[in-house]
Amino acid sequence: MTDKTPAGGNGVPRQPFAHLSAPNAPFYRDVLMTFARARDRFIVHMRPEDVSADLGWPGETEPVVAALEKLVEWGNLRADPDTGRVTTVEDFHRARYLYQLTAAGQAAEEAIAVYEEAIGRRGALQSVALEDIAAQLRALAEMVTADAAHIDPAKVHLLLLALAERFTGLADNAQAFMASLRRVIDFSDGDVAAFVAYKQRLIDYINRFIADLANRGAEIATLLGQIEAAGVDRLLVIAARREAADIVPGLPADTDSGTGDTGELPADSADTPVAYDAAITVSLDAWRNRWRGLRDWFLSADSRHPSQARLLRGAAITAITQLIDTVATLNERRSGRSDRSADFRTLARWFAEAPDDAAAHRLWRAAFGLTPARHLTVTPETVAAWQEHEPAPSTPWRQAPPVRISPQLRKTGSYERRGQPNRVADRAEQRRFLAERAAREAEQVAAARERLATQRPVLLSELGVLDRHAFRLFLGVLSDALAARLPGDIEVRTTTSDGTMEIRLAPVPDGGVVRIETDGGVLHGPEHLVEIIDLTAARHGVRVPA
């Protein structure tokens, strides 16, 4: 009795993925999943009856045996003679096998599992990851400024590994989340009520992440700048040397080879192998590339190359707008407003339910009106003739009764309706009302600008009580300033979108939380130094403080 060797042992290439395109692919996947579950239970070999029992088919081994033989042929499984149950000569000559996953089969299962996990990943916007990245960067900032004798290579390496892992997870999950969000926005059919209810929770979730990204992103950008200014390359070299000691085989790890307590090999040692230097170069290039990716994610090179964090924030804000538009469209459908796709589906159902061709033709004329000329005005005699004898849809054009139209329409191409023309409506009252309203709003905005304009930089807490109009204008100016702030900026100076005001804003360290009284309530926020300039006053010759 010889063993059944998997495909590939005799020169035939293994095909561990061939079962995915086989006619009975789901059954092959179920069989292989039994071996994967058995491996998780530390079971190596399985008999056909074990596979049948795991599949819920006790006693039905014939289809399982056939599937096992095909999987052995493709190289997913290995079959060994089952001599443990041989008690007679007949049992010895009867083919009984133990099956186990081959290396190629196990690799194929792991690859399929990774693929299914990536396809099914929902993604997330991880505010906690931003906090962790900031904490790890703060620890690195302390190490990079320390003396070389006080730097622990193991701590540096572990911090960089944790930072790279957390950042990779943040970027991958953000990408997966935005992809899944686009699928949600493209929603057209399904449970509309559930989608509308889910929408608000999703918008709150995105808003919370946008706020965390703006705050933590600025802190992370500042820390990245501090670490680079102090010399991040020395930390990357430490991590590369520590990794190279594990990558290169055969290097001694004792004190005779020049290692210290950390097991490192000095790069400048004359006894350092060439392979070790090459390993350091490869590892250092990889760490520099990771650091560059982290830097580009949070720091903008210039206005033409914004950071990935800024692009993600913009995409999230756009997604909120698109979500709101989608919900508005769904509400319009539910409120009974015209929806072309729904109308065409209803019309198609009516055509399918038409009892005969004549009814379908009548439905066509009623729906599209392309057969008769609806813009023509016919005479009463023609209408009476149609009512008396309606021609069939199959009537040839030459045999159909003529359409008698008005001579005026035929001569001039237009038909004048009898009677007096409609009177021209007098809109003077409406125009006067709109002009008064526009003037009143302009006065309110001018008064609000005059109220907000400062003669010098002042604290937010010194603005005093703001009325409703001044507070609304103040929120718009403040929003423009915060949107123009780049990561790492201490002071921001920008002009409002309408070009009427200029604001200069700078945070006050340890300024605490301030309260701004308004007619509608109290606004709480961090203390800032603010200067607001009314540009319209400067254009009209009014002196504006520098």
Side-chain angles (χ1 to χ4, degrees):
M1 179 67 65
T2 59
D3 296 349
K4 286 188 177 182
T5 58
N10 54 359
V12 180
R14 293 184 175 91
Q15 298 177 327
F17 296 100
H19 68 282
L20 296 175
S21 57
N24 205 12
F27 181 62
Y28 290 124
R29 292 296 310 138
D30 293 340
V31 171
L32 288 174
M33 287 303 298
T34 62
F35 284 90
R37 289 192 293 268
R39 184 191 58 196
D40 295 338
R41 300 193 302 269
F42 308 103
I43 297 175
V44 178
H45 297 88
M46 293 187 71
R47 296 185 173 91
E49 50 267 29
D50 299 332
V51 177
S52 300
D54 196 295
L55 292 174
W57 299 353
E60 300 182 15
T61 58
E62 293 184 3
V64 173
V65 170
L68 293 172
E69 291 177 352
K70 290 296 295 183
L71 291 171
V72 170
E73 179 182 344
W74 288 325
N76 298 81
L77 300 177
R78 172 185 175 88
D80 298 318
D82 185 8
T83 58
R85 295 185 297 173
V86 175
T87 57
T88 63
V89 177
E90 290 78 6
D91 291 340
F92 181 80
H93 290 288
R94 187 181 297 116
R96 297 177 182 270
Y97 295 97
L98 289 171
Y99 297 90
Q100 70 177 41
L101 281 172
T102 62
Q106 182 172 345
E109 289 301 304
E110 293 175 355
I112 294 173
V114 171
Y115 171 79
E116 291 177 347
E117 180 183 358
I119 291 298
R121 178 186 296 171
R122 295 180 58 185
L125 299 176
Q126 300 171 303
S127 299
V128 178
L130 294 171
E131 183 178 352
D132 294 344
I133 290 173
Q136 290 155 355
L137 287 176
R138 283 194 294 268
L140 286 175
E142 296 178 359
M143 289 186 176
V144 76
T145 56
D147 295 336
H150 296 87
I151 295 179
D152 188 347
K155 290 183 178 180
V156 172
H157 190 206
L158 291 176
L159 270 176
L160 288 174
L161 286 175
L163 180 63
E165 180 182 3
R166 209 70 174 107
F167 169 67
T168 302
L170 171 67
D172 292 346
N173 278 284
Q175 181 180 4
F177 178 82
M178 296 309 298
S180 63
L181 184 60
R182 284 190 290 269
R183 292 193 295 269
V184 170
I185 294 173
D186 293 338
F187 172 89
S188 58
D189 297 320
D191 192 347
V192 177
F195 175 79
V196 173
Y198 166 72
K199 173 266 307 180
Q200 188 57 48
R201 297 196 300 271
L202 181 60
I203 290 178
D204 293 341
Y205 176 72
I206 298 175
N207 279 331
R208 187 169 63 252
F209 176 77
I210 291 174
D212 292 338
L213 183 61
N215 297 327
R216 292 291 181 185
E219 180 185 2
I220 291 173
T222 303
L223 290 171
L224 288 172
Q226 294 175 358
I227 295 174
E228 288 188 347
V232 67
D233 214 52
R234 60 187 298 213
L235 300 181
L236 303 183
V237 169
I238 291 175
R241 289 180 178 178
R242 197 165 187 269
E243 287 183 350
D246 292 333
I247 293 174
V248 181
L251 289 177
D254 52 16
T255 55
D256 295 336
S257 60
T259 63
D261 296 336
T262 61
E264 292 181 15
L265 291 175
D268 56 353
S269 173
D271 298 331
T272 302
V274 176
Y276 177 74
D277 293 337
I280 290 180
T281 302
V282 172
S283 181
L284 183 58
D285 289 342
W287 276 113
R288 285 172 176 168
N289 188 53
R290 293 172 193 153
W291 185 264
R292 179 184 176 185
L294 178 62
R295 187 185 186 281
D296 292 344
W297 220 86
F298 290 100
L299 288 175
S300 299
D302 49 47
S303 59
R304 294 178 299 175
H305 300 85
S307 65
Q308 292 298 317
R310 188 172 183 179
L311 292 176
L312 177 62
R313 184 170 61 180
I317 295 174
T318 303
I320 293 177
T321 304
Q322 294 175 348
L323 273 174
I324 295 175
D325 293 342
T326 302
V327 173
T329 302
L330 295 176
N331 288 332
E332 289 180 1
R333 294 182 186 178
R334 293 195 301 174
S335 62
R337 296 184 63 177
S338 176
D339 180 70
R340 182 172 298 179
S341 60
D343 293 343
F344 277 124
R345 286 193 295 269
T346 302
L347 184 60
R349 185 173 67 253
W350 289 351
F351 273 112
E353 296 173 353
D356 49 31
D357 290 343
H361 282 291
R362 289 194 299 271
L363 178 60
W364 173 269
R365 288 197 299 270
F368 299 103
L370 297 180
T371 301
R374 295 181 298 167
H375 62 283
L376 299 179
T377 301
V378 300
T379 60
E381 292 79 6
T382 302
V383 177
W386 284 348
Q387 293 177 351
E388 181 179 354
H389 177 68
E390 182 178 357
S394 58
T395 302
W397 178 263
R398 292 180 178 272
Q399 300 177 8
V403 177
R404 303 185 184 277
I405 64 175
S406 169
Q408 179 71 16
L409 175 63
R410 183 175 181 179
K411 181 179 179 180
T412 63
S414 62
Y415 177 77
E416 296 181 358
R417 183 175 57 86
R418 294 181 179 181
Q420 296 181 353
N422 294 331
R423 293 183 177 180
V424 178
D426 185 6
R427 306 291 183 185
E429 184 66 24
Q430 289 85 343
R431 287 195 296 269
R432 184 187 61 79
F433 172 76
L434 292 177
E436 291 178 355
R437 182 175 179 180
R440 186 168 57 253
E441 291 179 353
E443 292 177 358
Q444 293 172 352
V445 172
R449 284 199 302 267
E450 183 179 358
R451 167 65 180 84
L452 289 178
T454 60
Q455 302 299 324
R456 56 179 177 77
V458 297
L459 297 174
L460 284 179
S461 55
E462 298 175 359
L463 289 179
V465 180
L466 300 178
D467 59 22
R468 180 167 56 90
H469 304 293
F471 178 64
R472 181 181 301 176
L473 182 61
F474 173 71
L475 287 182
V477 173
L478 188 62
S479 175
D480 290 338
L482 294 178
R485 185 182 67 182
L486 297 176
D489 288 349
I490 299 178
E491 179 180 349
V492 61
R493 177 176 179 175
T494 186
T495 305
T496 57
S497 57
D498 58 359
T500 59
M501 304 191 74
E502 179 181 339
I503 180 172
R504 302 171 186 174
L505 190 68
V508 177
D510 301 327
V513 178
V514 300
R515 292 165 48 92
I516 300 178
E517 302 286 344
T518 70
D519 291 346
V522 181
L523 174 65
H524 298 269
E527 182 68 282
H528 280 71
L529 193 65
V530 61
E531 182 178 4
I532 301 175
I533 303 174
D534 184 1
L535 299 179
T536 60
R539 286 196 292 267
H540 287 85
V542 180
R543 184 178 180 276
V544 179

